[in-house]
Amino acid sequence: MNPKALYKISYGLYVVASKRGDKFNGQIANTVFQTTSEPASIAVCLNKQNLTHEFVQASRVFTVSVLTQETPMEFIGRFGFKSGRDMDKFDGVKYTLGTTGVPVLAENSAAYLEVEVINSMDVGTHTLFYGKLVNAEVLNEDAEPMTYAYYHQVKRGKAPKTAPTYMKEEPKKAEPRPVPKAAQKYRCTVCGYIYDPAAGDPDSGIKPGTAFEDLPADWVCPVCGAGKDQFEKLVE
């Protein structure tokens, strides 16, 4: 069986948000779909480890903001590779409150949906929440919604480990090579990935022993797809 066949299933890329009390949180999600038309209902699949999952369970409401193709990787990294337990994801982000009192994005969004949860289903590591559509608006008629394929193939983005579509790939074996003592590690400011010259990035064709400064200009973070300009020198 080739699990990569699952990559051929079509997905979009969204920010799913919810609330608990006076606090908000949101996350990147790709498993959002319409279940019925009369009445209109929407479903979303969320990892049980995510804070947004806890908020949806508590409030029984969520919003879906449809991301555009032009959405910056830093924005995706904020909602997809950061934890709401460590930061306020909506701090500095343009948003408005919908009729459910849950944030909807006012930037990088083609449209939004507001949903009241009717029921949920335990699907192992995730929960499938589905409910009735209570409001929906188009924000940008001309914007192209970002598909998951576009995110991977054009943006060169990666799936976080809590995503329903995440697959762990076996690392390629590489012969260890000596690394100069001066070789410096760098950290991705978007997702926290650390580039270690001693290990290189074999999956991207970068051999062990390659200093960060010698990486190709078009090399990107193997976790979130951020460019080299989004890395900072790691102080040890």
Side-chain angles (χ1 to χ4, degrees), residues 8-47:
K8 301 301 182 182
I9 299 176
S10 297
Y11 300 93
L13 205 67
Y14 317 92
V15 168
V16 173
S18 190
K19 65 178 180 178
R20 183 169 59 187
D22 59 353
K23 295 184 177 181
F24 305 132
N25 197 60
Q27 68 163 80
I28 293 292
N30 67 322
T31 314
V32 175
F33 54 96
Q34 182 176 348
T35 54
T36 60
S37 58
E38 293 294 339
S41 59
I42 301 293
V44 62
C45 195
L46 302 177
N47 192 292

PDB file of all heavy atoms in Angstrom, residues 8-47:
ATOM      1  N   LYS A   8      -3.450  12.771  -2.883  1.00  0.00           N
ATOM      2  CA  LYS A   8      -4.222  13.137  -4.065  1.00  0.00           C
ATOM      3  C   LYS A   8      -5.638  13.587  -3.726  1.00  0.00           C
ATOM      4  O   LYS A   8      -6.362  14.072  -4.596  1.00  0.00           O
ATOM      5  CB  LYS A   8      -4.277  11.959  -5.046  1.00  0.00           C
ATOM      6  CG  LYS A   8      -2.897  11.475  -5.512  1.00  0.00           C
ATOM      7  CD  LYS A   8      -2.119  12.581  -6.199  1.00  0.00           C
ATOM      8  CE  LYS A   8      -0.770  12.071  -6.693  1.00  0.00           C
ATOM      9  NZ  LYS A   8       0.046  13.139  -7.333  1.00  0.00           N
ATOM     10  N   ILE A   9      -6.042  13.415  -2.451  1.00  0.00           N
ATOM     11  CA  ILE A   9      -7.355  13.898  -2.029  1.00  0.00           C
ATOM     12  C   ILE A   9      -7.300  15.418  -1.937  1.00  0.00           C
ATOM     13  O   ILE A   9      -6.335  15.979  -1.428  1.00  0.00           O
ATOM     14  CB  ILE A   9      -7.755  13.292  -0.665  1.00  0.00           C
ATOM     15  CG1 ILE A   9      -7.834  11.764  -0.763  1.00  0.00           C
ATOM     16  CG2 ILE A   9      -9.095  13.859  -0.192  1.00  0.00           C
ATOM     17  CD1 ILE A   9      -8.124  11.089   0.561  1.00  0.00           C
ATOM     18  N   SER A  10      -8.324  16.088  -2.433  1.00  0.00           N
ATOM     19  CA  SER A  10      -8.332  17.548  -2.442  1.00  0.00           C
ATOM     20  C   SER A  10      -8.708  18.128  -1.082  1.00  0.00           C
ATOM     21  O   SER A  10      -9.630  17.644  -0.424  1.00  0.00           O
ATOM     22  CB  SER A  10      -9.309  18.067  -3.497  1.00  0.00           C
ATOM     23  OG  SER A  10      -8.904  17.673  -4.793  1.00  0.00           O
ATOM     24  N   TYR A  11      -7.968  19.163  -0.674  1.00  0.00           N
ATOM     25  CA  TYR A  11      -8.239  19.867   0.568  1.00  0.00           C
ATOM     26  C   TYR A  11      -8.082  21.365   0.336  1.00  0.00           C
ATOM     27  O   TYR A  11      -7.454  21.801  -0.627  1.00  0.00           O
ATOM     28  CB  TYR A  11      -7.247  19.475   1.673  1.00  0.00           C
ATOM     29  CG  TYR A  11      -7.225  18.020   2.058  1.00  0.00           C
ATOM     30  CD1 TYR A  11      -6.326  17.143   1.454  1.00  0.00           C
ATOM     31  CD2 TYR A  11      -8.077  17.528   3.040  1.00  0.00           C
ATOM     32  CE1 TYR A  11      -6.276  15.808   1.822  1.00  0.00           C
ATOM     33  CE2 TYR A  11      -8.030  16.188   3.410  1.00  0.00           C
ATOM     34  CZ  TYR A  11      -7.131  15.330   2.798  1.00  0.00           C
ATOM     35  OH  TYR A  11      -7.095  14.015   3.170  1.00  0.00           O
ATOM     36  N   GLY A  12      -8.598  22.147   1.265  1.00  0.00           N
ATOM     37  CA  GLY A  12      -8.346  23.579   1.276  1.00  0.00           C
ATOM     38  C   GLY A  12      -7.434  23.899   2.443  1.00  0.00           C
ATOM     39  O   GLY A  12      -6.890  23.001   3.099  1.00  0.00           O
ATOM     40  N   LEU A  13      -7.256  25.193   2.724  1.00  0.00           N
ATOM     41  CA  LEU A  13      -6.467  25.609   3.881  1.00  0.00           C
ATOM     42  C   LEU A  13      -7.236  26.725   4.577  1.00  0.00           C
ATOM     43  O   LEU A  13      -7.585  27.730   3.933  1.00  0.00           O
ATOM     44  CB  LEU A  13      -5.079  26.084   3.455  1.00  0.00           C
ATOM     45  CG  LEU A  13      -4.000  25.967   4.541  1.00  0.00           C
ATOM     46  CD1 LEU A  13      -3.721  24.498   4.852  1.00  0.00           C
ATOM     47  CD2 LEU A  13      -2.709  26.647   4.107  1.00  0.00           C
ATOM     48  N   TYR A  14      -7.494  26.533   5.858  1.00  0.00           N
ATOM     49  CA  TYR A  14      -8.379  27.419   6.603  1.00  0.00           C
ATOM     50  C   TYR A  14      -7.806  27.753   7.982  1.00  0.00           C
ATOM     51  O   TYR A  14      -6.953  27.023   8.494  1.00  0.00           O
ATOM     52  CB  TYR A  14      -9.746  26.757   6.808  1.00  0.00           C
ATOM     53  CG  TYR A  14     -10.286  26.050   5.591  1.00  0.00           C
ATOM     54  CD1 TYR A  14     -10.035  24.694   5.377  1.00  0.00           C
ATOM     55  CD2 TYR A  14     -11.023  26.742   4.635  1.00  0.00           C
ATOM     56  CE1 TYR A  14     -10.516  24.047   4.243  1.00  0.00           C
ATOM     57  CE2 TYR A  14     -11.508  26.101   3.501  1.00  0.00           C
ATOM     58  CZ  TYR A  14     -11.256  24.752   3.316  1.00  0.00           C
ATOM     59  OH  TYR A  14     -11.725  24.113   2.198  1.00  0.00           O
ATOM     60  N   VAL A  15      -8.320  28.834   8.573  1.00  0.00           N
ATOM     61  CA  VAL A  15      -8.107  29.092   9.988  1.00  0.00           C
ATOM     62  C   VAL A  15      -9.434  28.834  10.685  1.00  0.00           C
ATOM     63  O   VAL A  15     -10.446  29.493  10.394  1.00  0.00           O
ATOM     64  CB  VAL A  15      -7.631  30.526  10.265  1.00  0.00           C
ATOM     65  CG1 VAL A  15      -7.704  30.839  11.760  1.00  0.00           C
ATOM     66  CG2 VAL A  15      -6.199  30.712   9.785  1.00  0.00           C
ATOM     67  N   VAL A  16      -9.439  27.836  11.562  1.00  0.00           N
ATOM     68  CA  VAL A  16     -10.617  27.512  12.361  1.00  0.00           C
ATOM     69  C   VAL A  16     -10.423  28.146  13.734  1.00  0.00           C
ATOM     70  O   VAL A  16      -9.392  27.934  14.378  1.00  0.00           O
ATOM     71  CB  VAL A  16     -10.811  25.991  12.498  1.00  0.00           C
ATOM     72  CG1 VAL A  16     -11.948  25.671  13.470  1.00  0.00           C
ATOM     73  CG2 VAL A  16     -11.092  25.371  11.140  1.00  0.00           C
ATOM     74  N   ALA A  17     -11.385  28.952  14.166  1.00  0.00           N
ATOM     75  CA  ALA A  17     -11.281  29.661  15.438  1.00  0.00           C
ATOM     76  C   ALA A  17     -12.457  29.325  16.340  1.00  0.00           C
ATOM     77  O   ALA A  17     -13.525  28.917  15.876  1.00  0.00           O
ATOM     78  CB  ALA A  17     -11.210  31.169  15.209  1.00  0.00           C
ATOM     79  N   SER A  18     -12.244  29.500  17.632  1.00  0.00           N
ATOM     80  CA  SER A  18     -13.314  29.298  18.608  1.00  0.00           C
ATOM     81  C   SER A  18     -13.008  30.140  19.848  1.00  0.00           C
ATOM     82  O   SER A  18     -12.030  30.904  19.867  1.00  0.00           O
ATOM     83  CB  SER A  18     -13.449  27.810  18.963  1.00  0.00           C
ATOM     84  OG  SER A  18     -14.628  27.590  19.716  1.00  0.00           O
ATOM     85  N   LYS A  19     -13.828  29.988  20.865  1.00  0.00           N
ATOM     86  CA  LYS A  19     -13.656  30.780  22.075  1.00  0.00           C
ATOM     87  C   LYS A  19     -13.944  29.934  23.305  1.00  0.00           C
ATOM     88  O   LYS A  19     -14.591  28.887  23.236  1.00  0.00           O
ATOM     89  CB  LYS A  19     -14.598  31.980  22.076  1.00  0.00           C
ATOM     90  CG  LYS A  19     -16.085  31.607  22.139  1.00  0.00           C
ATOM     91  CD  LYS A  19     -16.974  32.834  22.177  1.00  0.00           C
ATOM     92  CE  LYS A  19     -18.456  32.425  22.251  1.00  0.00           C
ATOM     93  NZ  LYS A  19     -19.331  33.613  22.332  1.00  0.00           N
ATOM     94  N   ARG A  20     -13.414  30.398  24.441  1.00  0.00           N
ATOM     95  CA  ARG A  20     -13.774  29.834  25.739  1.00  0.00           C
ATOM     96  C   ARG A  20     -13.764  30.996  26.711  1.00  0.00           C
ATOM     97  O   ARG A  20     -12.713  31.548  27.009  1.00  0.00           O
ATOM     98  CB  ARG A  20     -12.786  28.754  26.185  1.00  0.00           C
ATOM     99  CG  ARG A  20     -13.179  28.090  27.513  1.00  0.00           C
ATOM    100  CD  ARG A  20     -12.348  26.862  27.811  1.00  0.00           C
ATOM    101  NE  ARG A  20     -10.935  27.173  27.876  1.00  0.00           N
ATOM    102  CZ  ARG A  20      -9.976  26.247  27.986  1.00  0.00           C
ATOM    103  NH1 ARG A  20     -10.311  24.959  28.006  1.00  0.00           N
ATOM    104  NH2 ARG A  20      -8.713  26.606  28.035  1.00  0.00           N
ATOM    105  N   GLY A  21     -14.948  31.368  27.179  1.00  0.00           N
ATOM    106  CA  GLY A  21     -15.055  32.564  27.995  1.00  0.00           C
ATOM    107  C   GLY A  21     -14.732  33.776  27.147  1.00  0.00           C
ATOM    108  O   GLY A  21     -15.302  33.977  26.075  1.00  0.00           O
ATOM    109  N   ASP A  22     -13.778  34.602  27.607  1.00  0.00           N
ATOM    110  CA  ASP A  22     -13.390  35.786  26.851  1.00  0.00           C
ATOM    111  C   ASP A  22     -12.092  35.580  26.080  1.00  0.00           C
ATOM    112  O   ASP A  22     -11.486  36.537  25.595  1.00  0.00           O
ATOM    113  CB  ASP A  22     -13.245  36.984  27.789  1.00  0.00           C
ATOM    114  CG  ASP A  22     -12.199  36.750  28.883  1.00  0.00           C
ATOM    115  OD1 ASP A  22     -11.697  35.610  28.987  1.00  0.00           O
ATOM    116  OD2 ASP A  22     -11.902  37.706  29.619  1.00  0.00           O
ATOM    117  N   LYS A  23     -11.655  34.327  25.950  1.00  0.00           N
ATOM    118  CA  LYS A  23     -10.416  34.031  25.250  1.00  0.00           C
ATOM    119  C   LYS A  23     -10.699  33.409  23.882  1.00  0.00           C
ATOM    120  O   LYS A  23     -11.657  32.658  23.718  1.00  0.00           O
ATOM    121  CB  LYS A  23      -9.540  33.094  26.075  1.00  0.00           C
ATOM    122  CG  LYS A  23      -9.048  33.722  27.374  1.00  0.00           C
ATOM    123  CD  LYS A  23      -8.099  32.791  28.111  1.00  0.00           C
ATOM    124  CE  LYS A  23      -7.565  33.464  29.378  1.00  0.00           C
ATOM    125  NZ  LYS A  23      -6.618  32.594  30.109  1.00  0.00           N
ATOM    126  N   PHE A  24      -9.842  33.756  22.922  1.00  0.00           N
ATOM    127  CA  PHE A  24      -9.975  33.252  21.564  1.00  0.00           C
ATOM    128  C   PHE A  24      -8.749  32.417  21.192  1.00  0.00           C
ATOM    129  O   PHE A  24      -7.658  32.619  21.718  1.00  0.00           O
ATOM    130  CB  PHE A  24     -10.098  34.401  20.560  1.00  0.00           C
ATOM    131  CG  PHE A  24     -11.204  35.360  20.839  1.00  0.00           C
ATOM    132  CD1 PHE A  24     -10.975  36.734  20.810  1.00  0.00           C
ATOM    133  CD2 PHE A  24     -12.480  34.912  21.139  1.00  0.00           C
ATOM    134  CE1 PHE A  24     -11.991  37.627  21.063  1.00  0.00           C
ATOM    135  CE2 PHE A  24     -13.517  35.793  21.400  1.00  0.00           C
ATOM    136  CZ  PHE A  24     -13.266  37.167  21.362  1.00  0.00           C
ATOM    137  N   ASN A  25      -8.952  31.499  20.273  1.00  0.00           N
ATOM    138  CA  ASN A  25      -7.824  30.769  19.701  1.00  0.00           C
ATOM    139  C   ASN A  25      -8.206  30.298  18.307  1.00  0.00           C
ATOM    140  O   ASN A  25      -9.383  30.170  17.969  1.00  0.00           O
ATOM    141  CB  ASN A  25      -7.420  29.569  20.560  1.00  0.00           C
ATOM    142  CG  ASN A  25      -6.029  29.070  20.204  1.00  0.00           C
ATOM    143  OD1 ASN A  25      -5.050  29.804  20.299  1.00  0.00           O
ATOM    144  ND2 ASN A  25      -5.926  27.818  19.781  1.00  0.00           N
ATOM    145  N   GLY A  26      -7.184  30.056  17.498  1.00  0.00           N
ATOM    146  CA  GLY A  26      -7.417  29.582  16.147  1.00  0.00           C
ATOM    147  C   GLY A  26      -6.271  28.712  15.684  1.00  0.00           C
ATOM    148  O   GLY A  26      -5.170  28.770  16.253  1.00  0.00           O
ATOM    149  N   GLN A  27      -6.509  27.912  14.684  1.00  0.00           N
ATOM    150  CA  GLN A  27      -5.498  27.017  14.155  1.00  0.00           C
ATOM    151  C   GLN A  27      -5.709  26.806  12.668  1.00  0.00           C
ATOM    152  O   GLN A  27      -6.805  26.996  12.140  1.00  0.00           O
ATOM    153  CB  GLN A  27      -5.558  25.661  14.857  1.00  0.00           C
ATOM    154  CG  GLN A  27      -6.845  24.868  14.535  1.00  0.00           C
ATOM    155  CD  GLN A  27      -6.723  23.412  14.882  1.00  0.00           C
ATOM    156  OE1 GLN A  27      -6.859  23.039  16.033  1.00  0.00           O
ATOM    157  NE2 GLN A  27      -6.496  22.575  13.866  1.00  0.00           N
ATOM    158  N   ILE A  28      -4.624  26.420  11.998  1.00  0.00           N
ATOM    159  CA  ILE A  28      -4.737  26.017  10.599  1.00  0.00           C
ATOM    160  C   ILE A  28      -5.417  24.649  10.545  1.00  0.00           C
ATOM    161  O   ILE A  28      -5.117  23.760  11.337  1.00  0.00           O
ATOM    162  CB  ILE A  28      -3.350  25.929   9.944  1.00  0.00           C
ATOM    163  CG1 ILE A  28      -2.711  27.320   9.846  1.00  0.00           C
ATOM    164  CG2 ILE A  28      -3.449  25.286   8.562  1.00  0.00           C
ATOM    165  CD1 ILE A  28      -3.403  28.257   8.885  1.00  0.00           C
ATOM    166  N   ALA A  29      -6.334  24.491   9.605  1.00  0.00           N
ATOM    167  CA  ALA A  29      -6.993  23.199   9.385  1.00  0.00           C
ATOM    168  C   ALA A  29      -7.186  23.004   7.892  1.00  0.00           C
ATOM    169  O   ALA A  29      -7.331  23.970   7.133  1.00  0.00           O
ATOM    170  CB  ALA A  29      -8.345  23.146  10.102  1.00  0.00           C
ATOM    171  N   ASN A  30      -7.145  21.770   7.455  1.00  0.00           N
ATOM    172  CA  ASN A  30      -7.413  21.489   6.049  1.00  0.00           C
ATOM    173  C   ASN A  30      -8.637  20.595   5.883  1.00  0.00           C
ATOM    174  O   ASN A  30      -9.204  20.508   4.802  1.00  0.00           O
ATOM    175  CB  ASN A  30      -6.198  20.838   5.367  1.00  0.00           C
ATOM    176  CG  ASN A  30      -5.903  19.452   5.895  1.00  0.00           C
ATOM    177  OD1 ASN A  30      -6.045  19.205   7.090  1.00  0.00           O
ATOM    178  ND2 ASN A  30      -5.480  18.556   5.024  1.00  0.00           N
ATOM    179  N   THR A  31      -9.045  19.934   6.976  1.00  0.00           N
ATOM    180  CA  THR A  31     -10.188  19.019   6.877  1.00  0.00           C
ATOM    181  C   THR A  31     -11.464  19.736   7.296  1.00  0.00           C
ATOM    182  O   THR A  31     -11.971  19.590   8.409  1.00  0.00           O
ATOM    183  CB  THR A  31      -9.960  17.768   7.739  1.00  0.00           C
ATOM    184  OG1 THR A  31      -8.647  17.274   7.511  1.00  0.00           O
ATOM    185  CG2 THR A  31     -10.957  16.673   7.388  1.00  0.00           C
ATOM    186  N   VAL A  32     -11.970  20.573   6.393  1.00  0.00           N
ATOM    187  CA  VAL A  32     -13.228  21.296   6.551  1.00  0.00           C
ATOM    188  C   VAL A  32     -14.074  20.988   5.333  1.00  0.00           C
ATOM    189  O   VAL A  32     -13.590  21.089   4.204  1.00  0.00           O
ATOM    190  CB  VAL A  32     -12.994  22.818   6.658  1.00  0.00           C
ATOM    191  CG1 VAL A  32     -14.326  23.553   6.705  1.00  0.00           C
ATOM    192  CG2 VAL A  32     -12.151  23.164   7.886  1.00  0.00           C
ATOM    193  N   PHE A  33     -15.323  20.599   5.552  1.00  0.00           N
ATOM    194  CA  PHE A  33     -16.151  20.272   4.388  1.00  0.00           C
ATOM    195  C   PHE A  33     -17.634  20.447   4.705  1.00  0.00           C
ATOM    196  O   PHE A  33     -18.060  20.395   5.856  1.00  0.00           O
ATOM    197  CB  PHE A  33     -15.894  18.834   3.918  1.00  0.00           C
ATOM    198  CG  PHE A  33     -16.058  17.780   4.986  1.00  0.00           C
ATOM    199  CD1 PHE A  33     -17.252  17.083   5.128  1.00  0.00           C
ATOM    200  CD2 PHE A  33     -15.008  17.479   5.840  1.00  0.00           C
ATOM    201  CE1 PHE A  33     -17.400  16.104   6.106  1.00  0.00           C
ATOM    202  CE2 PHE A  33     -15.145  16.506   6.834  1.00  0.00           C
ATOM    203  CZ  PHE A  33     -16.344  15.820   6.961  1.00  0.00           C
ATOM    204  N   GLN A  34     -18.414  20.674   3.644  1.00  0.00           N
ATOM    205  CA  GLN A  34     -19.860  20.802   3.765  1.00  0.00           C
ATOM    206  C   GLN A  34     -20.464  19.403   3.775  1.00  0.00           C
ATOM    207  O   GLN A  34     -20.100  18.554   2.959  1.00  0.00           O
ATOM    208  CB  GLN A  34     -20.426  21.611   2.605  1.00  0.00           C
ATOM    209  CG  GLN A  34     -21.929  21.837   2.680  1.00  0.00           C
ATOM    210  CD  GLN A  34     -22.432  22.727   1.548  1.00  0.00           C
ATOM    211  OE1 GLN A  34     -21.648  23.345   0.839  1.00  0.00           O
ATOM    212  NE2 GLN A  34     -23.747  22.777   1.378  1.00  0.00           N
ATOM    213  N   THR A  35     -21.373  19.179   4.712  1.00  0.00           N
ATOM    214  CA  THR A  35     -21.971  17.848   4.825  1.00  0.00           C
ATOM    215  C   THR A  35     -23.364  17.770   4.203  1.00  0.00           C
ATOM    216  O   THR A  35     -23.725  16.753   3.614  1.00  0.00           O
ATOM    217  CB  THR A  35     -22.046  17.404   6.293  1.00  0.00           C
ATOM    218  OG1 THR A  35     -22.732  18.406   7.057  1.00  0.00           O
ATOM    219  CG2 THR A  35     -20.647  17.219   6.873  1.00  0.00           C
ATOM    220  N   THR A  36     -24.167  18.837   4.345  1.00  0.00           N
ATOM    221  CA  THR A  36     -25.495  18.878   3.737  1.00  0.00           C
ATOM    222  C   THR A  36     -25.773  20.292   3.244  1.00  0.00           C
ATOM    223  O   THR A  36     -25.126  21.253   3.655  1.00  0.00           O
ATOM    224  CB  THR A  36     -26.610  18.476   4.732  1.00  0.00           C
ATOM    225  OG1 THR A  36     -26.607  19.388   5.845  1.00  0.00           O
ATOM    226  CG2 THR A  36     -26.411  17.060   5.243  1.00  0.00           C
ATOM    227  N   SER A  37     -26.780  20.418   2.362  1.00  0.00           N
ATOM    228  CA  SER A  37     -27.158  21.736   1.846  1.00  0.00           C
ATOM    229  C   SER A  37     -28.457  22.253   2.436  1.00  0.00           C
ATOM    230  O   SER A  37     -28.658  23.458   2.566  1.00  0.00           O
ATOM    231  CB  SER A  37     -27.268  21.692   0.318  1.00  0.00           C
ATOM    232  OG  SER A  37     -28.224  20.721  -0.085  1.00  0.00           O
ATOM    233  N   GLU A  38     -29.371  21.348   2.778  1.00  0.00           N
ATOM    234  CA  GLU A  38     -30.660  21.742   3.356  1.00  0.00           C
ATOM    235  C   GLU A  38     -30.964  20.932   4.606  1.00  0.00           C
ATOM    236  O   GLU A  38     -31.411  19.785   4.527  1.00  0.00           O
ATOM    237  CB  GLU A  38     -31.782  21.532   2.323  1.00  0.00           C
ATOM    238  CG  GLU A  38     -31.713  22.449   1.126  1.00  0.00           C
ATOM    239  CD  GLU A  38     -31.950  23.905   1.468  1.00  0.00           C
ATOM    240  OE1 GLU A  38     -32.553  24.173   2.544  1.00  0.00           O
ATOM    241  OE2 GLU A  38     -31.552  24.769   0.685  1.00  0.00           O
ATOM    242  N   PRO A  39     -30.684  21.483   5.790  1.00  0.00           N
ATOM    243  CA  PRO A  39     -30.054  22.781   6.036  1.00  0.00           C
ATOM    244  C   PRO A  39     -28.553  22.694   5.802  1.00  0.00           C
ATOM    245  O   PRO A  39     -27.961  21.608   5.872  1.00  0.00           O
ATOM    246  CB  PRO A  39     -30.369  23.036   7.509  1.00  0.00           C
ATOM    247  CG  PRO A  39     -30.407  21.658   8.104  1.00  0.00           C
ATOM    248  CD  PRO A  39     -31.030  20.788   7.056  1.00  0.00           C
ATOM    249  N   ALA A  40     -27.934  23.831   5.564  1.00  0.00           N
ATOM    250  CA  ALA A  40     -26.493  23.852   5.328  1.00  0.00           C
ATOM    251  C   ALA A  40     -25.748  23.486   6.607  1.00  0.00           C
ATOM    252  O   ALA A  40     -26.008  24.038   7.676  1.00  0.00           O
ATOM    253  CB  ALA A  40     -26.064  25.236   4.855  1.00  0.00           C
ATOM    254  N   SER A  41     -24.853  22.520   6.504  1.00  0.00           N
ATOM    255  CA  SER A  41     -24.068  22.106   7.669  1.00  0.00           C
ATOM    256  C   SER A  41     -22.616  21.906   7.269  1.00  0.00           C
ATOM    257  O   SER A  41     -22.315  21.583   6.125  1.00  0.00           O
ATOM    258  CB  SER A  41     -24.643  20.823   8.290  1.00  0.00           C
ATOM    259  OG  SER A  41     -24.656  19.771   7.344  1.00  0.00           O
ATOM    260  N   ILE A  42     -21.725  22.119   8.241  1.00  0.00           N
ATOM    261  CA  ILE A  42     -20.284  22.095   8.017  1.00  0.00           C
ATOM    262  C   ILE A  42     -19.629  21.195   9.054  1.00  0.00           C
ATOM    263  O   ILE A  42     -20.062  21.122  10.206  1.00  0.00           O
ATOM    264  CB  ILE A  42     -19.689  23.519   8.136  1.00  0.00           C
ATOM    265  CG1 ILE A  42     -20.338  24.459   7.124  1.00  0.00           C
ATOM    266  CG2 ILE A  42     -18.171  23.497   7.970  1.00  0.00           C
ATOM    267  CD1 ILE A  42     -20.013  24.142   5.674  1.00  0.00           C
ATOM    268  N   ALA A  43     -18.557  20.509   8.651  1.00  0.00           N
ATOM    269  CA  ALA A  43     -17.807  19.662   9.578  1.00  0.00           C
ATOM    270  C   ALA A  43     -16.333  20.052   9.550  1.00  0.00           C
ATOM    271  O   ALA A  43     -15.819  20.522   8.531  1.00  0.00           O
ATOM    272  CB  ALA A  43     -17.956  18.190   9.211  1.00  0.00           C
ATOM    273  N   VAL A  44     -15.664  19.855  10.683  1.00  0.00           N
ATOM    274  CA  VAL A  44     -14.231  20.100  10.780  1.00  0.00           C
ATOM    275  C   VAL A  44     -13.628  19.015  11.658  1.00  0.00           C
ATOM    276  O   VAL A  44     -14.259  18.549  12.612  1.00  0.00           O
ATOM    277  CB  VAL A  44     -13.939  21.502  11.363  1.00  0.00           C
ATOM    278  CG1 VAL A  44     -14.494  21.634  12.770  1.00  0.00           C
ATOM    279  CG2 VAL A  44     -12.444  21.793  11.357  1.00  0.00           C
ATOM    280  N   CYS A  45     -12.412  18.592  11.319  1.00  0.00           N
ATOM    281  CA  CYS A  45     -11.725  17.556  12.084  1.00  0.00           C
ATOM    282  C   CYS A  45     -10.531  18.199  12.789  1.00  0.00           C
ATOM    283  O   CYS A  45      -9.643  18.747  12.133  1.00  0.00           O
ATOM    284  CB  CYS A  45     -11.258  16.448  11.151  1.00  0.00           C
ATOM    285  SG  CYS A  45     -10.788  14.917  11.995  1.00  0.00           S
ATOM    286  N   LEU A  46     -10.494  18.135  14.140  1.00  0.00           N
ATOM    287  CA  LEU A  46      -9.461  18.787  14.932  1.00  0.00           C
ATOM    288  C   LEU A  46      -8.746  17.794  15.836  1.00  0.00           C
ATOM    289  O   LEU A  46      -9.374  16.897  16.415  1.00  0.00           O
ATOM    290  CB  LEU A  46     -10.067  19.906  15.797  1.00  0.00           C
ATOM    291  CG  LEU A  46     -10.823  21.012  15.066  1.00  0.00           C
ATOM    292  CD1 LEU A  46     -11.407  21.984  16.072  1.00  0.00           C
ATOM    293  CD2 LEU A  46      -9.910  21.727  14.085  1.00  0.00           C
ATOM    294  N   ASN A  47      -7.441  17.985  15.981  1.00  0.00           N
ATOM    295  CA  ASN A  47      -6.647  17.139  16.857  1.00  0.00           C
ATOM    296  C   ASN A  47      -7.001  17.413  18.320  1.00  0.00           C
ATOM    297  O   ASN A  47      -7.121  18.567  18.734  1.00  0.00           O
ATOM    298  CB  ASN A  47      -5.152  17.394  16.616  1.00  0.00           C
ATOM    299  CG  ASN A  47      -4.269  16.353  17.272  1.00  0.00           C
ATOM    300  OD1 ASN A  47      -4.170  16.260  18.484  1.00  0.00           O
ATOM    301  ND2 ASN A  47      -3.606  15.557  16.451  1.00  0.00           N
TER     302      ASN A  47
END
